[in-house]
Amino acid sequence: MSGSPGRPGSPGSPGGFDSPPPTGGFVRRVGLFQATAINMSQMCGIGPFVTIPLMVAAFGGPQAVIGFVAGAVLALCDGLVWAELGASMPGSGGSYVYLRQAFQYRTGRLMPFLFVWTAMLFIPLIMSTGVVGFVQYLGYLAPDLTRTQGDLVGLGIVALVVMLLWRGIEHIARITAVMWAVMIASVVLVIAAAATDFSPHLAFTYPARAFDLTSNHFWLGFAAGLTIGIYDYLGYNTTAYMGAEIKDPGRTLPRSILFSILGIMAIYLLLQIGTLGVIDWRRMADPHDIASTSVASAVLEETWGKGAADTVTVLILITAFASVFTGLLGGSRVPYDAARDRVFFRPYEKLHPRHRFPTLGLATMGVITAIGFLIGRHTDLATLIQLLTTVMVIVQALAQILALSVLRRRQPALRRPYRMWLYPLPGILAFAGWCVIYGYADKNSPGRHPVEWSLAWLALGCVAFLIWARLEKVWPFGEKEVTEEYLTVPAPEAEPAGT
């Protein structure tokens, strides 16, 4: 599961709406190794432990590996978009900055506002998948857990996370390091256990017509698998949101994105194939089998016994909790920074008087996380993933690909230390991939209507923007503010070694 999308540009940093101050600001201390590790830590959380059965169910067999490969290809193509934009505008903010720079000429602050508006929904929905995963794996340790008890446990986890964050948190780096270590231990233990009792017959025996490209069933499964796959890779763009803290960003940002995607792809393939070589795929597709909800625990029980399975399950529960904790920590800052930059509603810029955290942003995202958890519990996890990806697609994914072309035309003099390989082919492939995810969302979630819900949320965001713009007296009720600060920002230099 990916982490939060970082924090938007702030006053005093390239990408904010105010001019950079003469002193202060972020220091470029994050090198290539650290940047790649940051991306990978955000990409791999509870996600792979809960989506392997979903992928198998979508494809109907061990050919589900195709979904993880397809997700990696989409992530690579989309990652090249992030690589050029991040290297060209290496400030703090990511999509928030790129959308503002590209679309300010025609629609003022509409696009960055809509990005924050959609982030207010898709960030907590991502976190809610972690809570769903927590309850699923808790069911392995407590098989008599009822649905109502599971709902109460999940809501209690959300409340506990919000309470811990409400009191103010110190030593966040240590918490993140512990989460990363526990996650790596969980993945390595599952892969190692699978390797000790691996059956090629289970992993590579496919059902009839598994690769029938003329079958509508195959392509529906592929679209569902692509959605699940890209969900598992989300987070490859984390360093783009930290551009102001990256050494030599023109080289480091593109490499950190590509290396992290390739590294996580290798981990996921080992995990997927290893799991399929131990647990019959039909068990994963059976909703009444424990392998459909706690497949990693089932692998450990099958290979090393119940005690090892219980131990790894506890590690996975810690991973799930920590990912929700750090995700809401970062996500709650998104509306705060935007409000401080006068791109969102001003009440979101208020901080707790003592602990100095954004109270309204944390409370709002906590409530949406709880609602998303209940949706996932009473529909299914796949539907929740469909909903959060459709919310992301229009404003972030598709709009950002268009932003790359707009900026090449509008700001040809912009310094571009990295240019997309084979431009514009990767962007076109990424655009097509996101359109497949969006177009097939309703077909893969019959009766759930994730596309309609995402469009309704976007329409509501446009109404909210008009209300906000009227209050702030900005376009379309005032002058456009066009800023091209990256045309005049000098090339960032890396910190000297040893600093």
Side-chain angles (χ1 to χ4, degrees), residues 77-337:
C77 291
D78 194 56
L80 294 180
V81 176
W82 283 89
E84 177 168 328
L85 292 173
S88 302
M89 293 171 282
S92 174
S95 296
Y96 178 88
V97 175
Y98 315 147
L99 297 178
R100 179 177 67 83
Q101 284 292 305
F103 298 109
Q104 62 184 329
Y105 304 97
R106 292 186 179 275
T107 58
R109 302 183 186 181
L110 173 63
M111 291 306 293
F113 181 96
L114 288 179
F115 167 73
V116 178
W117 178 263
T118 54
M120 293 281 288
L121 184 59
F122 73 71
I123 292 175
L125 286 183
I126 292 173
M127 298 308 106
S128 65
T129 63
V131 185
V132 171
F134 183 97
V135 175
Q136 284 186 1
Y137 272 84
L138 183 63
Y140 179 81
L141 298 177
D144 296 328
L145 191 72
T146 66
R147 176 172 290 275
T148 300
Q149 290 171 336
D151 291 347
L152 293 176
V153 168
L155 293 175
I157 291 296
V158 176
L160 178 60
V161 168
V162 172
M163 286 174 58
L164 291 174
L165 293 174
W166 200 270
R167 298 185 179 188
I169 299 298
E170 298 177 351
H171 310 302
I172 298 303
R174 294 182 183 179
I175 295 174
T176 303
V178 170
M179 181 188 75
W180 167 248
V182 171
M183 182 274 295
I184 288 294
S186 304
V187 172
V188 169
L189 286 172
V190 175
I191 292 174
T196 61
D197 194 23
F198 181 78
S199 168
H201 175 75
L202 284 177
F204 303 115
T205 300
Y206 305 103
R209 303 184 66 188
F211 302 99
D212 184 1
L213 302 185
T214 64
S215 168
N216 188 52
H217 175 75
F218 175 87
W219 291 110
L220 284 175
F222 178 84
L226 181 62
T227 302
I228 297 166
I230 196 63
Y231 160 80
D232 281 327
Y233 285 98
L234 291 178
Y236 55 85
N237 49 14
T238 301
T239 47
Y241 289 95
M242 303 171 55
E245 300 165 82
I246 304 294
K247 294 180 182 178
D248 191 13
R251 292 169 55 86
T252 301
L253 271 173
R255 293 182 179 187
S256 69
I257 290 171
L258 296 178
F259 291 168
S260 61
I261 293 171
L262 293 174
I264 289 295
M265 180 177 69
I267 290 173
Y268 283 173
L269 288 178
L270 288 173
L271 191 62
Q272 170 87 45
I273 295 173
T275 300
L276 287 167
V278 174
I279 304 296
D280 191 307
W281 68 267
R282 296 171 185 82
R283 290 184 57 191
M284 299 187 209
D286 182 358
H288 302 293
D289 195 302
I290 192 66
S292 68
T293 56
S294 308
V295 68
S297 303
V299 168
L300 266 295
E301 182 176 342
E302 191 78 17
T303 54
W304 291 353
K306 187 67 165 61
D310 289 344
T311 300
V312 172
T313 301
V314 171
L315 296 180
I316 293 173
L317 291 176
I318 295 172
T319 297
F321 181 86
S323 65
V324 176
F325 176 86
T326 54
L328 284 181
L329 171 71
S332 62
R333 272 64 178 171
V334 171
Y336 161 73
D337 283 319

